[in-house]
């Protein structure tokens, strides 16, 4: 079903109405002033045209009242853009605490999704209606950008780190997803569909695809097969590295005295570049696993660390676990 306004995609998420309202306001203000200014220009051109060859215009001394007025009104209008835009931005890019987590790996030229229960999909993403869905995104190669117009969400997927975005679909249906960052030859073909289903139907779909290993258990297997546990087991068995139990989302003290939050990006960096942040009391002995594990495996390892328990004592702010990618409009 198309919107009644031409070129506007269907509106199917909790945020899309707010994005549209702001967008229509911006368009409305723009149209209003375009018409007003063009009208006034035409009126003045006709009204104050030179009527005789030697006519000299009346001198103008200026008007403080008029100048104050046309400074304050545009100021207030610009501030309304800023305040309203900021509110919508934060509503859209601040990650909710609860919700389903889905990992996304972009590569030239496909989107790979994995549900926390293990189901994998390519270029298709099944989600239930009325639930918050968090996308934790990584890329195997270059920058991509996941864009779902009907949900009005869009964020870059950047090499070397995780980015995130979320949505809550409001009606069942099939919605286009796109790559919105030029990423090479088949960029234009790097798209697919989000399939929004009724909760019961979604449960059926999950159950029908349940023969896959969950992300965290795949991560655990990898963790064992790569010998990670010989240095730091979940409860610090091995003794050469910090314990992993309860680490996720906790405040971690580093050997330089700095406190950092052990979020997804911290876990990822600790695997690919262990020297970057060393936990207080431990030596810089861990080798880098950069290039030895794929982005998909990194996400599985991260979800294993998550499954070892999160430390939710720090609920001070609605800070996102992952820094959302600010996406400049392209
Ligand atoms: Cu991926 Cu464009």
């Amino acid at each position: 079903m198309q919107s009644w306004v031409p070129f506007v995609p269907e509106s199917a998420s909790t945020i899309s109405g707010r994005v549209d309202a702001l967008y229509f306001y911006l368009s409305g203000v723009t149209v209003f002033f375009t018409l007003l200014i063009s009208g006034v220009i035409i009126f003045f051109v006709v009204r104050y045209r030179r009527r005789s060859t030697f006519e000299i215009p009346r001198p103008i001394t200026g008007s403080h009242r008029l100048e104050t007025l046309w400074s304050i009104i545009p100021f207030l209008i610009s501030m309304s853009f800023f305040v309203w835009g900021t509110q919508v931005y934060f509503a859209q890019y601040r990650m909710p605490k609860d919700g389903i987590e889905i990992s996304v790996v972009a590569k030239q030229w496909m989107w790979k999704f994995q549900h926390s229960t293990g189901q994998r999909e390519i270029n298709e993403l099944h989600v239930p209606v009325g639930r918050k869905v968090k996308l934790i995104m990584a890329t195997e190669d270059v920058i991509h950008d996941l864009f779902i117009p009907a949900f009005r969400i869009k964020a870059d997927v950047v090499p070397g780190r995780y980015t995130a975005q979320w949505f809550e679909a409001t009606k069942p249906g099939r919605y286009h997803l796109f790559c919105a960052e030029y990423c090479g030859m088949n960029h234009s073909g790097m798209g697919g569909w989000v399939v929004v289903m009724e909760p019961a139907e979604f449960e059926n779909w999950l159950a029908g695809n349940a023969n896959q290993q969950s992300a965290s258990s795949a991560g655990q297997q990898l963790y064992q097969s790569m010998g990670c546990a010989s240095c730091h087991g979940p409860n610090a068995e091995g003794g050469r590295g910090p314990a992993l139990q309860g680490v996720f989302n906790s405040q971690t003290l580093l050997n330089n005295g700095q406190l950092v939050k052990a979020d997804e990006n911290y876990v990822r960096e600790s695997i690919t570049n262990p020297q970057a942040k060393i936990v207080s009391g431990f030596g810089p002995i861990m080798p880098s696993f950069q290039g030895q594990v794929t982005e998909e495996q990194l996400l599985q390892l991260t979800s294993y660390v998550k499954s070892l328990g999160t430390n939710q004592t720090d609920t001070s702010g609605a800070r996102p676990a992952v820094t959302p990618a600010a996406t400049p409009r392209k």
Side-chain angles (χ1 to χ4, degrees), residues 21-97:
L22 174 62
Y23 190 75
F24 289 140
Y25 170 66
L26 291 173
S27 311
V29 170
T30 310
V31 168
F32 174 78
F33 280 102
T34 305
L35 293 178
L36 180 72
I37 291 167
S38 321
V40 168
I41 289 173
I42 292 166
F43 173 77
F44 283 175
V45 161
V46 175
R47 176 81 173 73
Y48 297 108
R49 69 188 185 279
R50 190 154 73 163
R51 285 157 211 264
S52 66
T53 326
F54 300 106
E55 189 181 355
I56 293 170
R58 203 151 39 87
I60 298 169
T61 51
S63 157
H64 286 301
R65 258 177 67 189
L66 207 55
E67 281 178 32
T68 313
L69 202 67
W70 71 43
S71 301
I72 287 179
I73 291 176
F75 172 72
L76 292 178
I77 293 173
S78 336
M79 287 311 282
S80 73
F81 295 163
F82 168 67
V83 172
W84 192 349
T86 308
Q87 282 170 347
V88 174
Y89 178 82
F90 278 108
Q92 185 168 358
Y93 286 104
R94 193 176 261 174
M95 295 297 282
K97 283 210 178 299

